[in-house]
Amino acid sequence: MEKDKSLENWKKNALSELKRTEIDSFVVETPEGISIKPLYTSLDNKGLEHLDTIPGEAPFLRGPKATMYTGRPWTVRQYAGFSTASESNAFYKNNLASGQKGLSVAFDLATHRGYDSDHERVYGDVGKAGVAIDSVEDMKILFDGIPLDKMSVSMTMNGAVLPVLAGYIVAAEEQGVDVAKLSGTIQNDILKEFMVRNTYIYPPEPSMRIVSDIIQFTSKKMPKFNSISISGYHMQEAGASLVQELAFTLADGLEYIRAATKRGLLVDDFAPRLSFFFAIGMNFFMEAAKLRAARYLWSKWVEKLFDCKNPKSKMLRTHCQTSGASLQEQDPYNNIIRTTIEALSATLGGTQSLHTNSFDEAIGLPTEFSAKIARNTQLILQHETGITDTVDPLAGSYFVENLTKELIEKADTLIQKIEDMGGMTVAVINGFPKSEIEISATKRQAKIDSGEQVIVGVNKFKSDEQDPIDVLNIDNNIVREEQIIKLKQIKETRNSANVNKALANLKNAAEKNTGNLLELSIEAVRERATVGEVSYALEEVYGRYGVEQKVIKDIYKKSYSNKDDFVEVDNALSKFKKIAGENPKIFMAKLGQDGHDRGAKVIASAFTDIGFNVDIGTLFQTPSEAVEQAIKSNAHVIGVSSLAAGHKTLIPELIEELKKRQADDILVVCGGVIPSQDYQFLYDVGVSAIFGPGTSIPYAASTTINKASEQLMRMHNFRKARISK
């Protein structure tokens, strides 16, 4: 009764202070469908069954280890890879000397997609967004002078996971390290690639066979190695709500256990080595609660579905990375603050390792200067804040405990829905998670563009001046030429008969569903088979997977709160229709091997709602393929989304292709992660408009329409002048 009285007193005081008639009008609704009240009390904690959980014991809500950071702080990782293996090796050694405790390797997109650097489809991608790895010789250079029996290595690789993991194992062998001593993680999470990141190679079913073969091999021969990192990170980066990220990630994990047990493995033989990977965004308390909820849900679902005797089979361990999507091009030094807040949230939520993004990653690849700040952010949190002095410091918070409960309940419902469909493989094939995430992303973008969701320095509190930022620029032509020389040397010095035999054995095992594909890939890599050759041997059996791109409709404009922002767009549309007699047509293109298509899909959805006729190309197009499709669709504009630093190679090639086809009346606009220093270069080659991160979609739409109208008038006047002559 006393507590009830206290709550009533608070309501009276609050009403008096706020001069409002109803305190409940201050409830905030989150994208996850969670209602945030302005006050939580001990009454809200009544009946929460998870409150009595203990760190280190199932269901592990308060942490997987009893002592957590009081025994050992989280591992400081830096996700990095630059151009060539030798440059990356030097960067790693410098970071390790500065306090980094584990390596986290970023590979270039050519490697991710299973192409050697000399392949015609990847000339704009080699060495651009990570390190180029074509063979075990590159892998040996990458880890030269780094003892692989002592250093934990995390590798973000999914599509070409077999040759890359095989290369790491063979490089260790030739360093004199027993495979059993290797520690670290291979991402090996192919299901999320079909949802969001798209660096897949093969269809879902054979891809799942590859996952289970890796789990089988590592569980027997690499007891210290994590065979899979089940990743929600890319889901949140693609626009998923925290409930979606939580549920889809855990549902993926359940599907991987199911696949491995079908291969004859016992859950307790491999589940203790599964690990997870979550994004940490700017919703501070909810992100911390998400990690607590994840541990609880994983423990309960594994116990429910699988016969496990070892408590560690139910224990969720996770790596986290601060959000890339929260980083902004405008006022980029603000990103240091954002990353610090996100890092603190991850550690209060109990992550086992952490990567902090550099402040300049919304502009380009991180420099040594920005990477040092990102790394020191973690070191300061570990050594200067006192957060490692106690286990689960947020425990008992009325607010955090209720957020944890809400996330558990909502994610549990979504996991059950996926299980009822037949599991995540079936859900992915049906396109369910991909569609749900795209809807969420489109709604969020509408809230940002309308100013309903404030982004400091972007849609509010804008600065008049922007400080110049140094950007790391990699000449990928030089990298590619160097890689091609190394590939030629390998092929000239190896035993070709042995290589062909090993690749034939791999292909045969894939065709007949026999043997272990990782074991056979290791044999091929020992003989100096390349990443591209191993990948192609399997592609001959499984095919290279591709999906038709679909556009989400009737979401963006409905979710946009300020309808007045569309007045200028509507005026531009009206003007264009008078000139052309039809709505503007835009072809949305993703060039090269970058599969991050959130920007392109959101723009396509929003532009459709605004009044464009939108055609969206398949992923991984060459410039000539994009031009071909744009001409066939009678497009007035080609919109290029670039997120992987290939814009200075691929966009000029696209414009040159338009000229060759006498279709240079089609305008080219582009957007994404493009440094402002590169804008003039792109304008000089013929780009009509560039929309950097943070550009509102109504502004981009009206600008594009007006540019297209101007182009039509120029063409009209040109024809009139020619006729009069």
Side-chain angles (χ1 to χ4, degrees):
M1 290 296 292
E2 282 299 314
K3 288 179 180 176
D4 291 346
K5 215 169 195 180
S6 297
L7 187 56
E8 284 304 313
N9 287 338
W10 173 81
K11 281 192 176 183
K12 285 177 185 177
N13 291 335
L15 284 168
S16 174
E17 288 173 19
L18 295 169
K19 311 289 188 205
R20 296 289 190 270
T21 57
E22 189 59 60
I23 196 69
D24 291 338
S25 67
F26 289 89
V27 170
V28 174
E29 188 79 14
T30 75
E32 292 75 21
I34 296 173
S35 297
I36 306 298
K37 301 189 299 181
L39 179 73
Y40 288 82
T41 72
S42 59
L43 294 175
D44 294 293
N45 280 4
K46 281 187 175 179
L48 297 188
E49 63 178 45
H50 71 256
L51 285 177
D52 294 328
T53 60
I54 298 171
E57 292 185 8
F60 305 104
L61 182 142
R62 298 193 62 192
K65 300 289 185 181
T67 57
M68 288 301 290
Y69 306 145
T70 63
R72 189 183 74 176
W74 65 89
T75 301
V76 177
R77 291 191 184 275
Q78 206 71 10
Y79 177 57
F82 297 99
S83 62
T84 63
S86 57
E87 286 194 38
S88 296
N89 175 262
F91 183 82
Y92 294 157
K93 286 177 178 175
N94 182 57
N95 280 5
L96 292 170
S98 302
Q100 185 176 311
K101 298 300 182 185
L103 295 181
S104 191
V105 183
F107 298 95
D108 74 353
L109 290 166
T111 307
H112 272 289
R113 294 270 293 145
Y115 292 114
D116 286 335
S117 297
D118 58 358
H119 198 284
E120 59 185 7
R121 298 193 73 85
V122 300
Y123 64 88
D125 300 296
V126 176
K128 267 297 190 184
V131 60
I133 298 292
D134 289 320
S135 73
V136 68
E137 294 300 329
D138 288 328
M139 200 68 85
K140 286 168 69 177
I141 295 168
L142 187 67
F143 297 117
D144 181 50
I146 299 172
L148 293 178
D149 54 343
K150 295 180 175 65
M151 181 57 58
S152 170
V153 176
S154 172
M155 292 178 286
T156 300
M157 180 53 62
N158 302 283
V161 63
L162 287 172
V164 167
L165 181 54
Y168 165 70
I169 290 168
V170 175
E173 285 177 357
E174 297 186 9
Q175 220 185 61
V177 176
D178 188 324
V179 68
K181 293 183 178 179
L182 295 175
S183 65
T185 305
I186 186 80
Q187 193 163 97
N188 193 28
D189 175 10
I190 201 62
L191 286 173
K192 70 98 173 40
E193 297 294 331
F194 295 110
M195 292 184 227
V196 287
R197 191 162 172 262
N198 299 311
T199 54
Y200 46 70
I201 300 175
Y202 318 111
E205 292 93 338
S207 295
M208 288 297 287
R209 186 217 160 155
I210 291 169
V211 170
S212 57
D213 275 12
I214 290 169
I215 293 172
Q216 183 185 53
F217 180 93
T218 54
S219 66
K220 289 179 180 177
K221 299 188 178 182
M222 301 170 70
K224 299 166 92 178
F225 197 81
N226 301 318
S227 57
I228 189 167
S229 174
I230 304 148
S231 175
Y233 182 87
H234 306 93
M235 298 178 198
Q236 188 181 140
E237 292 292 278
S241 71
L242 269 63
V243 165
Q244 290 172 338
E245 180 193 6
L246 188 52
F248 293 158
T249 305
L250 298 185
D252 280 353
L254 298 175
E255 191 77 344
Y256 293 132
I257 292 181
R258 203 174 278 124
T261 54
K262 285 179 181 176
R263 298 285 291 175
L265 290 173
L266 298 175
V267 175
D268 290 336
D269 288 343
F270 66 91
R273 298 308 305 172
L274 300 179
S275 69
F276 288 79
F277 174 29
F278 288 103
I280 303 295
M282 285 296 288
N283 196 331
F284 182 82
F285 290 108
M286 194 178 288
E287 289 288 5
K290 179 185 75 182
L291 298 185
R292 303 170 88 241
R295 290 190 290 268
Y296 182 93
L297 283 165
W298 181 249
S299 180
K300 292 296 186 182
W301 273 98
V302 171
E303 184 177 49
K304 178 181 177 180
L305 295 182
F306 305 104
D307 181 25
C308 54
K309 305 291 188 293
N310 186 349
K312 290 185 178 180
S313 295
K314 299 183 288 183
M315 185 177 76
L316 181 147
R317 297 165 302 113
T318 189
H319 169 71
C320 290
Q321 181 175 340
T322 59
S323 173
S326 71
L327 302 178
Q328 303 300 326
E329 180 186 42
Q330 296 88 340
D331 284 347
Y333 290 116
N334 287 346
N335 294 332
I336 299 173
I337 303 162
R338 293 185 176 105
T339 293
T340 303
I341 290 167
E342 291 167 350
L344 180 59
S345 178
T347 55
L348 292 178
T351 188
Q352 278 61 71
S353 71
L354 180 63
H355 164 79
T356 35
N357 286 332
S358 300
F359 72 84
D360 51 359
E361 289 187 54
I363 305 167
L365 295 170
T367 61
E368 285 193 29
F369 170 72
S370 65
K372 180 181 178 182
I373 293 173
R375 183 175 61 252
N376 286 349
T377 300
Q378 294 197 52
L379 297 176
I380 290 167
L381 286 176
Q382 282 190 353
H383 297 286
E384 298 186 27
T385 62
I387 62 174
T388 61
D389 294 343
T390 190
V391 178
D392 193 17
L394 293 181
S397 159
Y398 304 145
F399 180 42
V400 171
E401 296 296 4
N402 274 272
L403 280 179
T404 303
K405 176 199 67 131
E406 291 272 9
L407 288 167
I408 287 171
E409 290 175 354
K410 291 186 181 300
D412 189 65
T413 300
L414 189 48
I415 293 169
Q416 187 61 60
K417 183 174 184 176
I418 292 162
E419 287 295 303
D420 292 343
M421 290 180 184
M424 197 47 128
T425 303
V426 175
V428 163
I429 291 170
N430 292 337
F432 170 71
K434 188 175 184 70
S435 174
E436 292 295 296
I437 291 170
E438 287 174 1
I439 290 170
S440 174
T442 305
K443 286 180 177 178
R444 182 173 186 270
Q445 190 61 47
K447 290 181 184 301
I448 292 171
D449 288 345
S450 66
E452 185 179 343
Q453 181 175 337
V454 174
I455 308 293
V456 173
V458 177
N459 60 9
K460 202 169 184 180
F461 312 113
K462 298 179 185 179
S463 296
D464 294 330
E465 296 180 7
Q466 295 291 330
D467 295 325
I469 300 293
D470 288 333
V471 176
L472 179 67
N473 186 41
I474 291 170
D475 188 336
N476 81 297
N477 288 320
I478 294 174
V479 179
R480 189 165 187 260
E481 287 168 9
E482 184 177 325
Q483 290 299 116
I484 289 172
I485 291 169
K486 288 195 287 184
L487 277 167
K488 188 178 178 184
Q489 289 172 343
I490 288 168
K491 291 178 180 179
E492 287 175 350
T493 56
R494 69 188 184 181
N495 186 317
S496 296
N498 288 352
V499 173
N500 292 335
K501 182 180 177 182
L503 291 173
N505 290 340
L506 177 63
K507 182 178 174 182
N508 186 57
E511 285 174 336
K512 297 181 178 177
N513 199 25
T514 58
N516 184 287
L517 297 181
L518 176 55
E519 198 155 19
L520 291 163
S521 296
I522 291 168
E523 291 175 9
V525 168
R526 280 196 193 108
E527 298 295 341
R528 273 33 189 184
T530 67
V531 167
E533 289 170 335
V534 171
S535 299
Y536 185 70
L538 296 172
E539 185 182 335
E540 286 187 291
V541 179
Y542 298 140
R544 188 169 276 268
Y545 189 66
V547 292
E548 182 184 347
Q549 295 283 74
K550 295 179 181 178
V551 176
I552 300 293
K553 298 179 181 179
D554 301 322
I555 297 293
Y556 181 84
K557 208 165 182 179
K558 283 181 183 176
S559 303
Y560 201 103
S561 60
N562 187 5
K563 305 302 180 187
D564 291 342
D565 287 358
F566 293 99
V567 171
E568 194 172 337
V569 179
D570 292 339
N571 289 339
L573 271 172
S574 178
K575 178 182 173 184
F576 184 91
K577 286 181 187 177
K578 284 180 182 176
I579 299 169
E582 61 181 348
N583 283 358
K585 295 175 184 173
I586 186 168
F587 173 72
M588 294 299 303
K590 283 293 294 180
L591 303 178
Q593 300 304 306
D594 174 27
H596 292 87
D597 62 348
R598 172 187 178 175
K601 297 297 283 291
V602 167
I603 292 290
S605 297
F607 273 30
T608 298
D609 289 359
I610 283 168
F612 279 80
N613 291 328
V614 179
D615 186 12
I616 187 164
T618 57
L619 290 171
F620 316 121
Q621 287 187 315
T622 63
S624 62
E625 288 167 345
V627 167
E628 177 72 22
Q629 194 171 342
I631 292 172
K632 281 184 179 177
S633 65
N634 295 314
H636 302 105
V637 182
I638 297 176
V640 181
S641 172
S642 178
L643 294 174
H647 52 275
K648 290 179 76 173
T649 304
L650 295 168
I651 293 175
E653 176 76 15
L654 178 117
I655 291 171
E656 192 58 38
E657 189 67 29
L658 283 169
K659 291 175 182 175
K660 283 183 192 173
R661 300 288 299 271
Q662 296 184 328
D664 48 336
D665 57 325
I666 300 176
L667 293 184
V668 175
V669 300
C670 59
V673 182
I674 300 173
S676 58
Q677 294 93 318
D678 293 347
Y679 281 19
Q680 194 57 52
F681 169 84
L682 294 173
Y683 287 135
D684 289 345
V685 298
V687 171
S688 296
I690 303 168
F691 306 111
T695 303
S696 80
I697 288 177
Y699 170 78
S702 59
T703 302
T704 300
I705 297 166
N706 287 331
K707 294 273 185 186
S709 295
E710 290 167 11
Q711 176 75 336
L712 284 177
M713 287 305 298
R714 277 195 296 271
M715 296 302 296
H716 180 67
N717 292 335
F718 174 75
R719 290 192 198 98
K720 277 178 68 177
R722 193 167 62 180
I723 290 168
S724 66
K725 284 181 181 179

